[in-house]
Amino acid sequence: HARSAGIDFVTSPELAASAVYMTNAKGQFSSTLAEYTMMACSFFAKDLPRLMKQKRNKDWDKYCVLELRGATMGVIGYGDIGKACARLAKAYGMRVLALRRNPKLAEGDPYCDKIYGNDPDALNELVSESDYILCAAPLTEQTRGLVGSEQLAAAKESAVLINLGRGPVVDEVALIKALQEGRIKGAALDVFTEEPLPKSSPLWDLDNVLLSPHNMDMTATFMHEATEFFVYENLPRFLRGEQLLNHVDKAAGY
């Protein structure tokens, strides 16, 4: 059992080929990450950096803000976290696009306006239509560098990229270049290719980046709740010979 949703830190060909039955803590972190996602959207829509600067300078300067209502959120990786984010986005009146490996699993989903399969053309189309591009995909060999220079080139100049899945799913070098050149509006990043983020990273100094130290799922009780799920739910099921919850496909990596 993995006490996290992602299992990239334990995957291997040997594990994938083994008879080990693996489960994870899917669902334990989805709510707080969905709240973070909507905060990140609002951070850019309402221009929170400008508000804070004006407050410091005692500057009463009115300006127009953007609405989230009517904007489009594209969710790359429509698992439990992606769906939790879509649920809140819908409550805000947003249009939601979703990409997942098996789109049939999301047929009839009340939170999605359109479901894409996992292929390059579909990914580029989702990115090009989105105002907020949410990366919630797990890290596998197939998703490493999934969002790179090609996808960022397809994005609107007004688009914001939000990554709360795994850092290497996004090509960080390509993202930094796009942010520096103003080819996208901004990025909200809770995960990075290297953690802790090196002090030499340009991301620290970019004004159009909301940066957090991979702690947006770190509530006061998150580890306790994840452990409780194993101790009080799956372990008793295992001892009774019952079906376990949150089965993980070891070969797929999630």
Side-chain angles (χ1 to χ4, degrees):
H1 178 77
R3 202 169 55 172
S4 62
I7 65 164
D8 49 281
F9 59 96
V10 295
T11 53
S12 69
E14 292 77 16
L15 178 63
S18 74
V20 173
Y21 192 91
M22 188 166 189
T23 59
N24 68 359
K26 178 181 72 173
Q28 302 299 312
F29 314 103
S30 301
S31 177
T32 184
L33 288 175
E35 292 172 8
Y36 161 75
T37 295
M38 301 316 299
M39 181 274 287
C41 292
S42 296
F43 178 88
F44 288 97
K46 311 307 180 187
D47 200 349
L48 266 292
R50 177 171 178 170
L51 275 184
M52 299 305 293
K53 182 179 179 181
Q54 289 187 188
K55 181 175 182 293
R56 285 195 304 271
N57 296 336
K58 301 179 181 179
D59 182 6
W60 187 271
D61 183 20
K62 293 186 178 183
Y63 63 93
C64 291
V65 297
L66 298 176
E67 282 190 277
L68 295 183
R69 181 186 61 172
T72 297
M73 177 183 288
V75 183
I76 301 171
Y78 196 70
D80 197 83
I81 293 171
K83 187 169 184 174
C85 296
R87 186 183 297 114
L88 288 191
K90 269 297 172 186
Y92 275 70
M94 298 180 78
R95 175 174 176 249
V96 177
L97 312 177
L99 182 144
R100 66 179 304 165
R101 185 178 61 159
N102 187 349
K104 288 186 177 181
L105 294 176
E107 286 182 356
D109 190 294
Y111 309 118
C112 286
D113 295 282
K114 189 172 183 179
I115 307 291
Y116 292 89
N118 191 14
D119 65 77
D121 290 339
L123 175 59
N124 290 346
E125 183 178 336
L126 177 144
V127 168
S128 69
E129 292 189 26
S130 299
D131 300 297
Y132 299 90
I133 305 160
L134 173 64
C135 294
L139 179 61
T140 68
E141 287 307 309
Q142 289 70 41
T143 63
R144 187 179 295 275
L146 182 65
V147 178
S149 55
E150 180 183 343
Q151 289 69 43
L152 293 168
K156 303 175 182 180
E157 285 190 5
S158 58
V160 171
L161 183 136
I162 304 166
N163 192 5
L164 49 71
R166 286 291 185 266
V169 171
V170 176
D171 182 337
E172 206 166 273
V173 173
L175 175 61
I176 290 170
K177 192 170 189 292
L179 289 165
Q180 289 173 330
E181 295 176 356
R183 288 191 279 112
I184 62 172
K185 181 177 182 178
L189 306 172
D190 187 49
V191 291
F192 306 88
T193 300
E194 181 182 348
E195 298 182 6
L197 184 67
K199 295 187 185 298
S200 59
S201 172
L203 290 169
W204 289 108
D205 299 312
L206 289 173
D207 292 334
N208 55 348
V209 172
L210 174 63
L211 188 155
S212 53
H214 200 161
N215 70 324
M216 290 297 102
D217 60 355
M218 191 175 169
T219 64
T221 59
F222 82 117
M223 276 300 181
H224 182 72
E225 290 168 358
T227 303
E228 276 192 331
F229 170 76
F230 173 72
V231 172
Y232 297 118
E233 189 62 61
N234 263 356
L235 183 57
R237 284 172 174 265
F238 176 77
L239 294 174
R240 293 192 299 262
E242 297 175 357
Q243 182 69 36
L244 302 183
L245 303 179
N246 290 3
H247 176 233
V248 173
D249 184 332
K250 304 188 301 293
Y254 55 92

